[in-house]
Amino acid sequence: KKSFFSPLTKQPQSKSSKTPPATTSSGGRFIPHRVASNLSSAFSKAEQENSQNNTFSSLVHSQLMPDSGANLFRYSTSMTPENKENSNFAPLLIPRQSQGAMLRNIPKLPFRVLDAPQLQDDFYLNVVDWSSSNILSVGLGENVYLWDASSNKVTPLCSFEGELVSSLSWAPSGMHLAVGTTSGQVLLYDITRNNAFRTLQGHTGRVGALSWNNWMLSSGSRDKTILHRDLRSHNNITAKLTGHKQEVCGLKWSWDGEQLASGGNDNMLVVWSAGSISPVSKFTEHNAAVKALAWSPQQNGLLVSGGGTADRTIRFWNTCTNENVFTVDTQSQVCNLMFSRNTNELVSTHGYSQHQINIWKLPSMQKTGVLMGHTSRVLYLSMSPDFETIVTGAGDETLRFWKVFPREDTESPGGCGLWPCMTEMR
């Protein structure tokens, strides 16, 4: 059995303009969006619903810096007492709409746990993102690192002097990475060349949220504003949105690119139209900061939001009618939300006080899995491009990889979808 190396040690600081040599990625594959399915049962009916890990065994012997003896990530020994992977499974009965219950095994343990020193324990940051080209970006303190899941190579992308990385977001192509910092800058990196090709100014506070809409990059800041930048234009700012009274900590474009959802530390959820600088709607039902946001990939206009410690709820919104159609009290701070692309399920990660990851069956919102292991708030969540694996990061300075979804959707009968169509919900 291979032995692994010592934890990361502190490195000399270097300016962002000085980046290490690039490591060529072997690239993954692009996953096409699923075609939205037809939606059937009414919402009232919905409430009545009662690794091969051998490829990872030799990870990661890449160096943090070319002239340093320290290493980037190391395997954590805290996953199980015996450090075994995938040793236990939790058989769960998953309700189906027209067929009998199907037994699906969801691993209770992550198949990999990596130490991530200096992964910030800050609810308002978003520093873990997995690209369509199968590269995971992670912000650790002042540094950004890339892990190529196809080749198991780790590359240091950039390092900032005197400021922290506060947000990361991959462009849809998977070739460009947006990096937000605590100084208010947004830098765009071409990973094929391993350098920054553009620096976007405009914010006066940290940039904690980023979201892409084709060539449009939107950024949310502590200065309470949202800036749109069309990267085909030479102008740094295409539009400026002002609708929040405190820091913007959540930002997400809908799959069709027609609506933008923003959440703030002012407890507000705001929905914007792509062609307007005025809010389409403002929702004030949450009682704490709104960071967790997700749009349904299967139904236009279905938005999910999660509230912080004083709120603890997940709320479903019909943005066509501006209605809160369903609410679940999770009994814990909601840090992230993400729809599965392979099943009719929703993932939520939580902070105070349970530090867990929940898998919810849709549309009934019954729990089909509860994943434990983090010892601090689960602040970061991203999904692999094949939509089978999720990675979570926490204030305990670990990254945990969970194989939770099957290769393809085997649950939904033909013609069924997540939620009732909008005309029925009106």
Side-chain angles (χ1 to χ4, degrees):
K1 187 172 181 179
K2 293 189 178 181
S3 61
F4 296 96
F5 30 81
S6 60
L8 181 70
T9 57
K10 188 173 181 180
Q11 298 301 307
Q13 294 178 341
S14 59
K15 295 184 179 180
S16 58
S17 59
K18 297 179 180 180
T19 58
T23 300
T24 303
S25 65
S26 60
R29 57 194 179 96
F30 291 90
I31 307 298
H33 289 168
R34 283 176 49 185
V35 178
S37 55
N38 294 327
L39 304 166
S40 56
S41 60
F43 180 82
S44 59
K45 296 180 181 178
E47 293 180 308
Q48 300 173 5
E49 282 195 341
N50 291 348
S51 48
Q52 304 289 349
N53 53 27
N54 295 334
T55 59
F56 304 113
S57 62
S58 60
L59 183 78
V60 169
H61 290 284
S62 300
Q63 297 296 315
L64 172 62
M65 300 291 283
D67 59 349
S68 171
N71 296 287
L72 177 55
F73 295 121
R74 71 176 177 89
Y75 278 101
S76 173
T77 58
S78 61
M79 182 171 60
T80 63
E82 300 83 11
N83 197 27
K84 294 181 180 179
E85 299 177 350
N86 280 343
S87 57
N88 296 314
F89 289 84
L92 296 166
L93 287 178
I94 300 177
R96 301 180 69 183
Q97 292 181 339
S98 63
Q99 302 179 15
M102 180 185 69
L103 188 67
R104 181 160 85 83
N105 289 329
I106 299 180
K108 293 167 58 178
L109 300 174
F111 62 80
R112 186 191 324 150
V113 179
L114 297 178
D115 284 334
Q118 300 183 52
L119 184 62
Q120 299 298 297
D121 185 14
D122 192 328
F123 179 77
Y124 299 98
L125 306 187
N126 293 278
V127 294
V128 176
D129 198 26
W130 206 330
S131 77
S132 60
S133 56
N134 210 17
I135 298 177
L136 182 70
S137 61
V138 183
L140 299 180
E142 300 176 349
N143 308 291
V144 177
Y145 304 102
L146 306 179
W147 170 61
D148 189 329
S150 301
S151 65
N152 295 334
K153 292 182 180 179
V154 176
T155 306
L157 178 66
C158 59
S159 181
F160 299 91
E161 184 175 354
E163 57 182 312
L164 300 177
V165 177
S166 53
S167 55
L168 297 172
S169 184
W170 287 99
S173 67
M175 293 294 104
H176 300 102
L177 178 68
V179 180
T181 70
T182 52
S183 69
Q185 292 188 107
V186 177
L187 295 92
L188 302 178
Y189 283 84
D190 182 342
I191 64 164
T192 62
R193 297 189 176 125
N194 219 43
N195 64 1
F197 64 90
R198 192 166 177 181
T199 300
L200 303 173
Q201 308 286 350
H203 286 298
T204 58
R206 71 178 175 189
V207 178
L210 296 165
S211 185
W212 290 85
N213 183 6
N214 295 320
W215 288 100
M216 181 80 72
L217 174 64
S218 300
S219 56
S221 171
R222 201 177 209 168
D223 64 13
K224 311 172 190 176
T225 68
I226 299 167
L227 299 181
H228 292 330
R229 297 84 152 19
D230 188 334
L231 302 185
R232 296 166 298 182
S233 169
H234 294 294
N235 297 327
N236 269 344
I237 301 173
T238 308
K240 182 176 182 179
L241 312 182
T242 55
H244 287 278
K245 298 177 181 179
Q246 293 188 40
E247 179 172 8
V248 179
C249 51
L251 204 60
K252 194 74 66 177
W253 278 101
S254 61
W255 292 99
D256 61 6
E258 294 299 318
Q259 291 185 310
L260 175 70
S262 63
N265 197 38
D266 53 7
N267 307 346
M268 282 202 304
L269 169 64
V270 183
V271 178
W272 313 79
S273 174
S276 174
I277 62 172
S278 299
V280 173
S281 53
K282 290 186 177 183
F283 302 107
T284 59
E285 282 82 347
H286 283 293
N287 297 313
V290 182
K291 175 192 176 185
L293 298 170
W295 291 91
S296 169
Q298 295 181 311
Q299 179 168 320
N300 289 339
L302 179 59
L303 172 65
V304 184
S305 61
T309 306
D311 182 79
R312 308 178 307 181
T313 65
I314 296 175
R315 293 179 179 271
F316 290 79
W317 308 89
N318 178 349
T319 62
C320 298
T321 61
N322 296 329
E323 293 178 290
N324 180 194
V325 295
F326 192 48
T327 302
V328 176
D329 186 351
T330 68
Q331 300 297 315
S332 188
Q333 177 188 45
V334 184
C335 300
N336 295 279
L337 292 166
M338 183 172 288
F339 282 92
S340 168
R341 301 293 299 278
N342 293 351
T343 65
N344 287 351
E345 290 172 311
L346 178 75
V347 182
S348 63
T349 73
H350 298 270
Y352 302 122
S353 58
Q354 299 176 19
H355 312 321
Q356 65 185 15
I357 301 117
N358 291 329
I359 315 296
W360 307 85
K361 176 68 177 179
L362 297 175
S364 64
M365 282 300 285
Q366 295 178 344
K367 287 184 184 178
T368 59
V370 178
L371 308 178
M372 305 292 292
H374 283 293
T375 58
S376 184
R377 297 182 294 176
V378 188
L379 298 172
Y380 309 110
L381 170 69
S382 195
M383 188 179 291
S384 63
D386 62 6
F387 312 124
E388 298 177 23
T389 299
I390 60 172
V391 59
T392 56
D396 58 15
E397 297 188 334
T398 65
L399 293 173
R400 296 172 186 255
F401 295 76
W402 316 78
K403 185 70 172 290
V404 294
F405 298 118
R407 186 171 297 274
E408 58 186 30
D409 188 352
T410 57
E411 296 179 35
S412 296
C416 285
L418 286 177
W419 295 91
C421 50
M422 291 303 181
T423 53
E424 296 179 16
M425 291 170 64
R426 292 172 186 171

